[in-house]
Amino acid sequence: MPQFQQHPSWTVDGGGLVLDLETAVKDGILGGTAAGGGALSGAKLDLKKMIEELEPAGADDIPSVFICPISLDPMLDPVTLCTGQTYERSNIQKWLSMGHRTCPTTMQELWEDAVTPNRTLHHLIHTWFSQRYLRMKKRSEDVGGQAAELLVSLRRVKGQARIQNLKELGKLVALQSTAARKAIVEAGGVHLLSSLLGPFTSHAVGSEVISILVNIQLDSDARSNLMQPAKISLVVDMLNEGTVDTKINCARLVELLMEDRNFRSEILSSLSLLVGLLRLVKDKRHSNGVATGLGLLKTICNHKQQVRGLMVSVGAVAQLVELLPHLNSECLEVALQILDELSSLPEGRASLKDCSQTIPNLVKLLMRVSEACTQYALSILWSVCKLAPDECASLAVEAGLAAKLLLVIQSGCSPSLKQRSAELLKLCSLNYTATLFISKCKLTRTIQ
């Protein structure tokens, strides 16, 4: 049963609580303001709503006496048992309805199961959360005002001052995201920020603008505006030449634009866009960039089939194959899915066949990461071996493919995966005598 530590000055011999407003203020549970002071003037605030809105900010500093020992959540309706222990009403009633006749915290037997509303504690809880809730609202209003002021200033300043304004606005969005985003949208900031992007925009300004835009809600009009050729050209340039953070934000912006139903598909036909994404993916020092780049490449593959040929032409196959041993499981699955899509093209299969690392890297991944990764790897290997069975099937067997296929067949994988493994195993065996092939499998007893 969950336990909690009570405030030492509030316990008495029987385990009950001595609570009053003066003690609470003195012990620092409540702020110095009196309970009925300015912070709580006006209509009474809803306690449940306050707790829900304050929860994302963290609950580490909530006094332990406000926490129900059963649920470990702040109490909305505290009631006290005959033992002097206090619980949330719904939690203790559930405990009693299950036939328990003991106190959950002390395990004392209850001589009566009546509960008494702890109005003093309820008032303390309401007062404590009200103070923090109103302070949070005040901070939000202050952040909104700052954002509005920065947008007004942004309309008239230029050069380094404009960059500084954008940096400060970006910090507000990052630190107080909800209030700052709302203020930017309501003040027409999205249109203003979008207007700063164009053929003559410096990368210093462009990178700050995009870092803000990817963190606020963009409506259909804003997305259409950002799809103008001059703006897209700037985004693609920064994707190729910016810092890692700028490249990641540019990729995120393109993905946001692709969600719009009026997205201009010809944007994806830019070779510079594809080259920029592959550069981002190749930079193994920054895992966030690898994940973002692979995610967008996968989305592009699924969005427009014609782009797959362009991806092959810019060397995507060899780059992704060489990257496979260095990826985490999540990125690995995405990379394999992209390669599987590219293997559906004749030129994609040819590129996979010509890459010396394709077969060794894919064979190593079988039964190593996940069933999805095994499925994609098998599909790619089948495409390559089917293309040139004499050459590729032999290389695959030498790399240990036959033994891996037997493991797949004997595993708990899906029937379709086992069927594909059996077909590939048969294809690989065509160039060998039975005895030689069994020796290549390294699992003689299993095959016999």
Side-chain angles (χ1 to χ4, degrees):
M1 179 59 59
Q3 302 290 321
F4 71 99
Q5 299 296 319
Q6 296 176 348
H7 194 285
S9 65
W10 295 354
T11 57
V12 293
D13 292 340
L17 298 176
V18 178
L19 291 175
D20 57 69
L21 295 180
E22 183 180 349
T23 303
V25 172
K26 184 178 72 175
D27 288 342
I29 296 302
L30 297 180
T33 7
L40 299 177
S41 58
K44 190 172 183 179
L45 299 167
D46 181 76
L47 180 57
K48 184 178 180 181
K49 178 186 176 185
M50 290 190 293
I51 291 174
E52 288 174 349
E53 292 194 24
L54 285 167
E55 190 175 9
D60 294 341
D61 62 338
I62 297 177
S64 59
V65 290
F66 294 174
I67 303 296
C68 174
I70 297 175
S71 66
L72 299 181
D73 292 324
M75 290 182 279
L76 301 172
D77 185 9
V79 294
T80 303
L81 288 178
C82 58
T83 60
Q85 299 297 326
T86 300
Y87 302 91
E88 171 63 32
R89 181 186 293 273
S90 61
N91 294 332
I92 194 60
Q93 286 180 339
K94 183 177 180 181
W95 170 266
L96 296 173
S97 71
M98 293 169 66
H100 298 293
R101 289 295 176 264
T102 56
C103 174
T105 300
T106 65
M107 299 311 292
Q108 289 176 267
E109 287 192 19
L110 302 176
W111 53 92
E112 62 174 338
D113 58 6
V115 296
T116 304
N118 193 331
R119 293 187 176 88
T120 302
L121 180 57
H122 181 273
H123 185 59
L124 288 171
I125 293 172
H126 193 281
T127 302
W128 190 88
F129 277 102
S130 295
Q131 290 176 348
R132 277 148 185 80
Y133 180 78
L134 292 172
R135 281 204 296 267
M136 181 192 74
K137 288 296 183 185
K138 179 74 164 56
R139 283 198 301 270
S140 295
E141 291 171 5
D142 291 345
V143 167
Q146 291 177 49
E149 288 177 11
L150 286 169
L151 288 171
V152 170
S153 175
L154 202 55
R155 287 183 168 89
R156 63 173 185 268
V157 298
K158 294 183 179 180
Q160 194 60 39
R162 173 175 287 177
I163 296 172
Q164 189 59 39
N165 264 30
L166 289 167
K167 286 182 181 293
E168 291 178 19
L169 193 58
K171 288 178 182 177
L172 287 180
V173 170
L175 298 176
Q176 298 285 345
S177 55
T178 304
R181 290 172 189 172
K182 184 178 179 182
I184 291 171
V185 172
E186 291 179 350
V190 176
H191 177 74
L192 172 61
L193 291 167
S194 178
S195 70
L196 297 178
L197 300 177
F200 304 109
T201 303
S202 69
H203 284 194
V205 170
S207 63
E208 298 297 338
V209 169
I210 291 173
S211 71
I212 299 170
L213 288 175
V214 295
N215 286 305
I216 58 180
Q217 190 69 36
L218 300 176
D219 60 23
S220 185
D221 289 341
R223 291 176 183 176
S224 296
N225 184 278
L226 288 167
M227 281 187 265
Q228 294 177 24
K231 298 182 190 298
I232 291 295
S233 178
L234 174 66
V235 171
V236 172
D237 283 347
M238 290 191 293
L239 175 63
N240 279 278
E241 301 172 13
T243 64
V244 172
D245 288 338
T246 298
K247 291 178 179 181
I248 291 173
N249 286 329
C250 288
R252 288 175 60 197
L253 182 61
V254 173
E255 194 152 21
L256 282 173
L257 297 179
M258 289 181 68
E259 294 173 2
D260 193 83
R261 62 181 180 180
N262 297 318
F263 178 71
R264 292 171 41 239
S265 296
E266 61 269 22
I267 290 172
L268 303 178
S269 300
S270 165
L271 291 177
S272 296
L273 171 64
L274 299 175
V275 169
L277 286 173
L278 288 170
R279 285 177 179 168
L280 180 60
V281 165
K282 282 177 63 179
D283 192 346
K284 297 187 283 288
R285 297 170 299 173
H286 305 280
S287 58
N288 288 346
V290 175
T292 302
L294 284 172
L296 183 51
L297 284 171
K298 183 184 106 173
T299 304
I300 290 173
C301 266
N302 295 334
H303 188 276
K304 192 176 182 183
Q305 293 186 358
Q306 295 88 328
V307 179
R308 295 176 193 170
L310 292 175
M311 290 177 65
V312 174
S313 70
V314 296
V317 169
Q319 293 183 49
L320 291 175
V321 167
E322 291 172 9
L323 197 62
L324 293 178
H326 310 286
L327 297 176
N328 60 39
S329 57
E330 186 177 342
C331 290
L332 185 59
E333 189 169 320
V334 177
L336 287 171
Q337 189 173 351
I338 296 169
L339 287 170
D340 190 32
E341 294 284 355
L342 298 182
S343 71
S344 64
L345 303 175
E347 59 267 40
R349 291 191 290 274
S351 292
L352 284 163
K353 171 185 166 295
D354 293 340
C355 179
S356 62
Q357 294 302 309
T358 296
I359 291 174
N361 285 352
L362 291 174
V363 169
K364 287 176 185 176
L365 293 176
L366 294 177
M367 300 296 291
R368 287 282 296 274
V369 184
S370 66
E371 184 169 334
C373 286
T374 296
Q375 181 177 347
Y376 289 130
L378 271 179
S379 176
I380 299 165
L381 284 167
W382 172 261
S383 297
V384 174
C385 291
K386 191 75 173 173
L387 177 66
D390 292 341
E391 177 184 352
C392 295
S394 300
L395 288 173
V397 171
E398 295 298 327
L401 176 61
K404 286 291 188 78
L405 293 175
L406 287 170
L407 289 176
V408 175
I409 293 170
Q410 297 176 76
S411 71
C413 292
S414 65
S416 61
L417 203 56
K418 292 182 179 183
Q419 180 63 31
R420 174 51 59 89
S421 299
E423 292 170 354
L424 187 52
L425 189 63
K426 183 177 180 181
L427 180 65
C428 291
S429 67
L430 295 178
N431 294 329
Y432 295 91
T433 64
T435 304
L436 182 57
F437 187 66
I438 288 174
S439 68
K440 293 290 183 182
C441 291
K442 301 177 183 176
L443 289 172
T444 306
R445 184 175 302 172
T446 302
I447 286 199
Q448 291 175 339

